[in-house]
């Protein structure tokens, strides 16, 4: 199967399962789940036809493991990244000392003033590894990586969650937790 077709279907799935279920005539339940049969029918109706095998392959091979089926295989949801209100029963977890947030240089000024805020998403997304942070930042422009003192945040009682696909989430990162001396401007 052509990679580009899977990529474009993947993008459409992201849209539907995180941001705009109505684009495939769907409703997500309170926990973000969609019925697979309804998803397949809705995608076809929206002009993005795919088979159950296509869907299984996309879920399996997705570079960031963005989606998962439930145990019955009848439901599917995105692991994180939603803008619609969903309750993902995320696992609270103790973060590593340092987490990283990749952003674009043009946002720095605003982040200095307001901290890292969730913008359109439900939480701020952080990663435990630098490589991911560089990639996330590059999506928005010239990337900059902000190291975050996650241990200090946790000591203050701020909560962290770990999504099923290994993304660290929190509500916000006030600027004082960004390790200013360690900001990376070059890879
Ligand atoms: C920035 C992708 C101005 C923030 C990735 C980011 C991730 C501010 C942008 C996941 C700000 C929001 C999330 C402030 C934060 N002022 N800009 N106060 N606070 N920002 O896409 O973190 O491919 O909503 O730095 O891999 O880039 O979708 O968040 O640059 O895991 O699976 O505002 O999305 O995963 O952009 O990415 P986004 P993000 P997927």
């Amino acid at each position: 199967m052509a990679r580009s077709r899977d990529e474009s279907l993947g993008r459409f799935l992201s849209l539907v399962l995180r941001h705009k279920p109505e684009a495939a005539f769907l409703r997500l339940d309170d926990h973000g789940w969609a019925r697979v049969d309804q998803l397949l029918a809705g995608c076809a109706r929206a002009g993005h036809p795919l088979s159950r095998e296509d869907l299984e392959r996309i879920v399996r091979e997705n570079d960031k493991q963005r989606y998962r089926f439930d145990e019955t295989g009848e439901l599917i949801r995105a692991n994180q990244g939603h803008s619609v209100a969903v309750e993902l029963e995320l696992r609270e977890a103790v973060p590593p000392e340092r987490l990283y947030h990749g952003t674009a240089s043009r946002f720095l000024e605003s982040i200095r003033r307001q901290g890292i805020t969730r913008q359109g998403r439900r939480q701020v997304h952080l990663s435990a590894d630098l490589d991911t942070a560089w990639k996330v930042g590059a999506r928005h422009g010239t990337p900059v990586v902000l190291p975050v003192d996650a241990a200090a945040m946790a000591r203050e009682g701020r909560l962290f969650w770990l999504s099923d696909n290994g993304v660290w989430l929190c509500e916000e990162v006030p600027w004082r937790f960004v390790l200013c001396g360690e900001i990376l401007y070059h890879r």
Side-chain angles (χ1 to χ4, degrees):
M1 188 60 55
R3 177 156 294 271
S4 59
R5 175 172 178 260
D6 278 9
E7 277 175 8
S8 108
L9 284 172
R11 271 195 293 277
F12 186 65
L13 283 178
S14 243
L15 175 77
V16 166
L17 295 176
R18 292 164 152 184
H19 307 298
K20 215 178 155 193
E22 65 274 19
F25 312 96
L26 277 185
R27 285 185 60 130
L28 307 182
D29 76 8
D30 293 347
H31 303 278
W33 296 105
R35 292 200 51 88
V36 172
D37 52 359
Q38 289 175 2
L39 174 70
L40 296 178
C43 285
R45 203 175 143 200
H48 298 273
L50 77 166
S51 65
R52 168 98 205 184
E53 291 89 76
D54 290 336
L55 185 63
E56 284 176 6
R57 184 184 58 253
I58 290 167
V59 170
R60 192 174 58 240
E61 295 179 359
N62 186 265
D63 56 348
K64 289 192 198 157
Q65 297 293 301
R66 288 183 180 87
Y67 323 102
R68 57 169 293 195
F69 292 105
D70 74 341
E71 313 78 58
T72 67
E74 285 173 17
L75 303 177
I76 184 171
R77 78 175 178 190
N79 281 319
Q80 36 68 228
H82 298 77
S83 56
V84 294
V86 291
E87 177 47 63
L88 292 176
E89 312 100 23
L90 290 166
R91 274 173 294 148
E92 222 180 282
V94 178
E97 286 268 307
R98 290 246 188 311
L99 285 171
Y100 300 97
H101 179 79
T103 189
S105 54
R106 65 196 163 95
F107 297 145
L108 273 183
E109 176 83 28
S110 164
I111 291 179
R112 260 196 201 100
R113 285 197 308 268
Q114 304 171 349
I116 309 171
T117 54
R118 42 194 194 88
Q119 305 293 310
R121 311 225 183 209
R122 310 293 299 166
Q123 291 96 6
V124 167
H125 288 221
L126 302 160
S127 65
D129 69 293
L130 276 169
D131 194 48
T132 302
W134 281 117
K135 286 188 195 141
V136 171
R139 289 156 55 248
H140 301 286
T142 306
V144 174
V145 171
L146 306 178
V148 170
D149 191 347
M153 287 179 64
R155 277 197 300 276
E156 266 198 11
R158 292 170 181 272
L159 299 181
F160 286 85
W161 298 271
L162 184 57
S163 75
D164 283 338
N165 58 341
V167 176
W168 286 91
L169 304 162
C170 67
E171 282 175 349
E172 58 163 348
V173 180
W175 178 250
R176 67 179 185 281
F177 295 109
V178 173
L179 297 157
C180 294
E182 298 176 29
I183 295 176
L184 297 162
Y185 296 93
H186 302 286
R187 226 179 158 140

